[in-house]
Amino acid sequence: NAVKNVICCMLQLNFQPFPTIQTERLLLRAVLKKDAAAMFGLRSNTEVLRYIGKAPMKSLSEAKKLIETILNNQFENDAIMWAIALKENPGQKIGNICYWRIDKPHFRAELGYILHPAHWNKGIMNEAIKPVIDYGFNSMKLHSIEANIDPGNSASEALLKKNGFIKEGHIRENYFFDGKFLDTVIFSRLR
């Protein structure tokens, strides 16, 4: 009967107050307007963007506008993004992790994440993804979480597999970026 009640209606989300998450080393907190410089640092870094399929930001005002969009989406309960910070330096955003493209009628959302290269290969994203997955299933009541990655991004593939995601498919040339058609690999995890 509980499944019937969940299936009969649409996903109901409420991201207020913002759900701050703490792990052993990390603080996953709301993205703030004062994070604009750190956001610009991430979104203008070609190493960070190598597998993302987005053009590098050219100005701080682009980062400010993105943060405004993030805050509006959270207010409307259409997406949620956590700033990843080390507990020892909570004001310094080193990455983000989010649910976006939330498909409310189908209880599904896409997981996205980026991290500054200075913090790669330290298990930080693995530490951040676990409670975010838990939040997605237990607080948001998602049935499935998907992640779309570039087929060349072996680090992201390993992270997803380590956290119970299964490869659903490889879609050929479904994404046009920088004058080329690119492939996407879709991973998902069910509740």
Side-chain angles (χ1 to χ4, degrees):
N1 212 12
V3 172
K4 190 189 237 181
N5 289 339
V6 168
I7 292 174
C8 74
C9 44
M10 195 173 359
L11 195 61
Q12 301 293 316
L13 300 173
N14 184 2
F15 301 132
Q16 287 83 39
F18 188 87
T20 300
I21 298 171
Q22 292 192 46
T23 68
E24 187 181 333
R25 296 180 292 169
L26 306 176
L27 175 67
L28 307 182
R29 60 165 175 79
V31 174
L32 307 169
K33 289 181 179 179
K34 68 179 182 118
D35 290 320
M39 182 70 81
F40 178 70
L42 281 167
R43 296 293 295 269
S44 62
N45 185 315
T46 53
E47 242 185 308
V48 170
L49 298 175
R50 180 174 19 164
Y51 298 116
I52 305 291
K54 294 197 183 307
M57 285 184 172
K58 297 191 181 352
S59 70
L60 189 59
S61 65
E62 284 180 80
K64 289 177 180 174
K65 193 174 278 188
L66 176 60
I67 289 173
E68 210 171 280
T69 300
I70 290 163
L71 297 176
N72 287 336
N73 286 340
Q74 278 169 196
F75 182 76
E76 297 293 331
N77 299 308
D78 289 330
I80 183 168
M81 179 179 286
W82 289 268
I84 301 171
L86 297 172
K87 277 183 174 175
E88 66 212 32
N89 192 358
Q92 180 58 45
K93 181 172 103 60
I94 61 170
N96 12 279
I97 187 164
C98 68
Y99 285 117
W100 65 305
R101 293 187 188 163
I102 298 175
D103 188 351
K104 292 177 184 177
H106 300 290
F107 296 76
R108 187 172 175 99
E110 183 176 338
L111 178 71
Y113 43 83
I114 57 175
L115 187 65
H116 192 280
H119 300 280
W120 288 356
N121 302 311
K122 296 178 181 176
I124 287 175
M125 197 54 75
N126 189 55
E127 189 173 327
I129 201 173
K130 290 176 187 315
V132 169
I133 290 168
D134 183 62
Y135 180 84
F137 286 138
N138 297 316
S139 297
M140 291 171 66
K141 305 300 184 204
L142 295 172
H143 174 71
S144 61
I145 300 170
E146 79 176 61
N148 299 341
I149 67 168
D150 182 296
N153 192 343
S154 56
S156 193
E157 181 175 345
L159 173 72
L160 293 169
K161 285 179 173 177
K162 184 176 189 175
N163 284 281
F165 284 74
I166 306 291
K167 183 177 174 180
E168 283 190 356
H170 185 127
I171 303 172
R172 296 179 306 142
E173 298 186 4
N174 69 314
Y175 192 78
F176 187 75
F177 174 69
D178 202 22
K180 315 183 264 267
F181 286 97
L182 304 172
D183 293 4
T184 301
V185 177
I186 301 174
F187 285 82
S188 77
R189 179 172 163 179
L190 301 179
R191 177 197 285 276

